Amino acid sequence: MKVIICGAGQVGWQIARHLAGERNDVTIVDSNPELVRRASDTLDVQGVVGFASHPDVLERAGARDCDLLIAATHSDEVNMVTCQVAQSVFGITRKIARIRAQAYLAPQYSDLYRRDHLPIDVIISPEREVAEAALQRLAAPTTFDTESFMGGRIQLLGIVLDEDCPVLNTALRQLTELFSTLRALVVGVRREGRLFAPEPGDQLFANDQIYVFSHNEDVSRTLEIFGKGSKKQERVVIIGGGNVGMGVARALEARTDRIRAKVIERSRVQAEKAADALERTIVLNGDGMSAELLEEANIERADAVLAVTDDDKTNILVAVRAKQAGCKMAISLVNDPTLVPLMAPLDIDAYINPRATTVSSILRHIRLGRVRAIYSIGDAEAEVIEAQVMGTSPLAGRMVRDIEFPEGVLLGAVMKGEKVIKPSGDTKIEEGDVIVLFALAADIPEVERLLQVSIDFF
C-alpha cells in the first residue's frame, strides 16, 4: 500500500514507523527539512520537503498513485486543505485528518466534511481521544493503563505489582490452575525496562508492570488477585480547563453515578467559559501549582487529581504536590516520552500519552475492515490488536495449540458471536471469530501474515 503522511512531528513519525515496518511504501512530507531528514535517515521511508497542501509538493510525494493520505501537520487548516487537494486534484480515495479545534467538530457542522464539501473520510481529534483515555484511567484507578476491546467486553489492564501482591513468585501456569474460573490472562510483562510476552512457566515479581486481559465482569476480581482493590471515584479535581479538561468534566457530569468534580484553570477567560458551559462542576480560577488553591479545592479529600494542562512539567509537579497533600490518586498528561520513567519514582499513579492515543486511533482507522481496534503500548514497543478472522487466514479452522504464534505474540481473548471466552489450547479458531492479540513490535508483520491481510480488505 502506498501512503503519504503529511507532518513529520511525533505523531507523523510514529505512524510512518509503524507502516514502514509493515513493508508499506511510505512518503513523509514536511516543511521542516530537519524533520524530513530525521525520518528518511532513521526509517525506511521517502522524504519530501515542502508545504503539504501545495499540489506540486503532493505530486512529488507520489499522490497520483497513492492509496491513503494522512494529514497530521500542526495546523487544522493545512490538514483540511491537504485533504481537499488530495481529492480534487489526485483522486486519493482515503484521507485521514487530525483536527484539534473543537469548533470544527461541533455536530451542527458535520455536513462540512461531506465528499462534495471538504472530503475527509476520517477525522481524528486528539483532545477527544485524550479525554476518553483520562476517563478510562479514572474508571480503573488502581491501574496505570487501561483500554477496552470487543465492545467493552474485554479490558486491558496495566498493573504494577507491589511487594504485598499475593501471587508473587507464582508461575503463570499455576495461576490458571488456582483461579480456573477467572477470565483473565497475563499477556505482557515489563521488568527492569524490558517488555516481553511471558511463557506459562514464568513467575511474577515485585515491581513488575504487567498487562492483563480481563473479561469486563471479572475486572474487580482480577485486580484483587494482583493486590489491587477497587476504589470508587467520588471527588475528582481537574487541573486545566482546556479542551481535554472540559471534555472530562462534561463526561463526568453526564454519568449517572454522582461525582463531585472541580476544575482549576489559570486563564480567567477560559475559566469563565468553563463555568458557563458546566452545570454541576465548580470552576476555580488560578494556578494549579498553588498550594493554597489546591487546599481550597480540598485536594486532601480528593479521590483523584487529573493534571491535563498543555505543559508536561506543570502536570507532573501538580500531580506530585497533590499526592503529597493527601490526594489518593494522580494522573498526569505527558507528551514527552522521556519523562515517563519519572512517573513511578514520583509516585504518579498513571499517565496519558497524547501521541500514543492519537497513533492508536489513526492505526485503527487505517486497518479498518480487517482489524477492528488497535492500541499502541509504551514507545511503540508493542500493540494490542483486535481483528476478525478471515476465511483466508492461516488461523481459521485450527486449534490454538496447533498455531505457531511468534515468541512475542499471545492470544488474549476470543469472541464467538456475542460470547467472549478465555482461550486455551483446545479452543478452535473459526472464520468470523474476533480475536485480541498482544504482539511485540518486531512480530507485528508476522501477525499481519497470520491475519492474511492484503489490500483487498481495504
Side-chain angles (χ1 to χ4, degrees):
M1 180 171 63
K2 185 165 185 176
V3 184
I4 296 175
I5 299 173
C6 301
Q10 291 185 346
V11 169
W13 192 89
Q14 285 291 351
I15 292 293
R17 176 180 171 187
H18 278 272
L19 296 182
E22 295 164 13
R23 296 187 289 275
N24 293 291
D25 181 359
V26 178
T27 300
I28 198 159
V29 179
D30 200 288
S31 59
N32 187 326
E34 288 301 319
L35 292 179
V36 173
R37 187 178 300 111
R38 183 192 69 150
S40 57
D41 287 349
T42 57
L43 305 173
D44 184 18
V45 302
Q46 300 175 64
V48 173
V49 178
F51 291 97
S53 57
H54 291 185
D56 60 322
V57 174
L58 288 179
E59 181 144 29
R60 280 194 285 126
R64 295 251 174 230
D65 58 350
C66 175
D67 301 300
L68 170 68
L69 180 135
I70 302 169
T73 74
H74 293 296
S75 167
D76 291 351
E77 290 74 20
V78 169
N79 294 338
M80 290 175 170
V81 173
T82 300
C83 288
Q84 181 70 71
V85 173
Q87 172 70 34
S88 301
V89 179
F90 301 105
I92 297 175
T93 55
R94 298 193 68 212
K95 299 162 293 297
I96 297 175
R98 180 175 65 173
I99 296 179
R100 293 180 178 276
Q102 299 303 293
Y104 285 128
L105 304 174
Q108 63 265 37
Y109 306 131
S110 59
D111 279 354
L112 177 63
Y113 306 106
R114 283 185 358 211
R115 186 164 291 273
D116 56 341
H117 291 164
L118 269 176
I120 301 174
D121 301 292
V122 176
I123 291 174
I124 304 297
S125 169
E127 284 76 10
R128 290 185 178 180
E129 301 286 344
V130 170
E132 180 59 34
L135 289 166
Q136 290 193 4
R137 298 293 188 279
L138 288 171
T142 55
T143 65
F144 68 85
D145 201 356
T146 181
E147 182 67 23
S148 298
F149 295 91
M150 294 182 169
R153 297 176 180 87
I154 290 291
Q155 296 288 326
L156 174 71
L157 306 172
I159 303 171
V160 178
L161 302 185
D162 299 323
E163 297 282 355
D164 59 354
C165 174
V167 294
L168 294 184
N169 307 312
T170 305
L172 294 178
R173 182 187 295 107
Q174 191 175 350
L175 283 181
T176 302
E177 297 168 357
L178 288 171
F179 307 103
S180 57
T181 61
L182 182 71
R183 291 168 294 180
L185 191 67
V186 178
V187 292
V189 177
R190 189 190 304 281
R191 181 176 297 153
E192 297 178 352
R194 186 177 75 90
L195 182 66
F196 63 93
E199 297 183 357
D202 287 341
Q203 299 180 4
L204 300 176
F205 303 114
N207 300 318
D208 281 353
Q209 295 181 2
I210 65 171
Y211 290 91
V212 185
F213 279 129
S214 171
H215 194 287
N216 193 48
E217 296 173 358
D218 290 356
V219 167
S220 295
R221 187 179 170 209
T222 300
L223 291 171
E224 289 174 5
I225 287 170
F226 289 107
K228 305 290 183 181
S230 298
K231 300 177 183 176
K232 187 177 180 181
Q233 305 293 334
E234 295 180 341
R235 298 180 179 88
V236 177
V237 177
I238 302 168
I239 312 297
N243 289 330
V244 175
M246 285 289 291
V248 173
R250 285 196 186 99
L252 293 178
E253 285 192 342
R255 285 168 60 162
T256 54
D257 51 332
R258 191 83 177 198
I259 293 180
R260 300 176 188 174
K262 295 177 182 177
V263 173
I264 298 177
E265 168 55 42
R266 187 169 189 170
S267 164
R268 183 172 185 83
V269 173
Q270 185 61 35
E272 291 175 350
K273 188 184 299 183
D276 289 340
L278 300 170
E279 296 178 4
R280 300 196 310 269
T281 304
I282 296 173
V283 179
L284 302 175
N285 174 221
D287 188 351
M289 282 288 295
S290 166
E292 291 78 12
L293 193 56
L294 289 174
E295 185 177 351
E296 184 181 343
N298 292 322
I299 197 68
E300 73 280 357
R301 299 181 59 200
D303 296 305
V305 62
L306 181 63
V308 290
T309 75
D310 57 4
D311 183 77
D312 287 355
K313 297 178 181 63
T314 297
N315 294 337
I316 291 173
L317 291 172
V318 167
V320 170
R321 174 158 279 179
K323 286 296 290 283
Q324 290 179 340
C327 183
K328 300 179 183 65
M329 178 189 182
I331 304 172
S332 180
L333 182 70
V334 179
N335 288 278
D336 184 353
T338 64
L339 296 175
V340 169
L342 298 176
M343 298 298 107
L346 293 174
D347 194 29
I348 296 174
D349 301 278
Y351 67 91
I352 304 164
N353 184 337
R355 180 185 65 180
T357 58
T358 304
V359 168
S360 295
S361 182
I362 291 174
L363 288 173
R364 180 170 67 246
H365 289 292
I366 288 174
R367 295 169 179 169
L368 199 60
R370 50 183 178 155
V371 171
R372 295 161 38 121
I374 194 163
Y375 186 62
S376 180
I377 289 179
D379 188 16
E381 298 161 275
E383 286 183 12
V384 176
I385 301 171
E386 176 184 329
Q388 188 165 31
V389 177
M390 303 287 186
T392 54
S393 168
L395 303 177
R398 300 176 66 186
M399 298 287 190
V400 169
R401 63 168 173 266
D402 298 327
I403 300 172
E404 295 182 4
F405 287 111
E407 185 177 339
V409 176
L410 281 178
L411 179 64
V414 178
M415 184 165 69
K416 295 179 175 289
E418 294 297 312
K419 184 179 180 182
V420 177
I421 61 174
K422 176 183 174 181
S424 66
D426 296 328
T427 303
K428 186 176 182 179
I429 305 297
E430 299 172 301
E431 180 182 357
D433 286 353
V434 177
I435 61 175
V436 177
L437 296 162
F438 172 92
L440 294 177
D443 294 310
I444 289 172
E446 178 62 14
V447 170
E448 294 270 314
R449 188 194 68 80
L450 288 172
L451 296 174
Q452 200 62 50
V453 177
S454 73
I455 195 68
D456 298 336
F457 294 111
F458 275 89

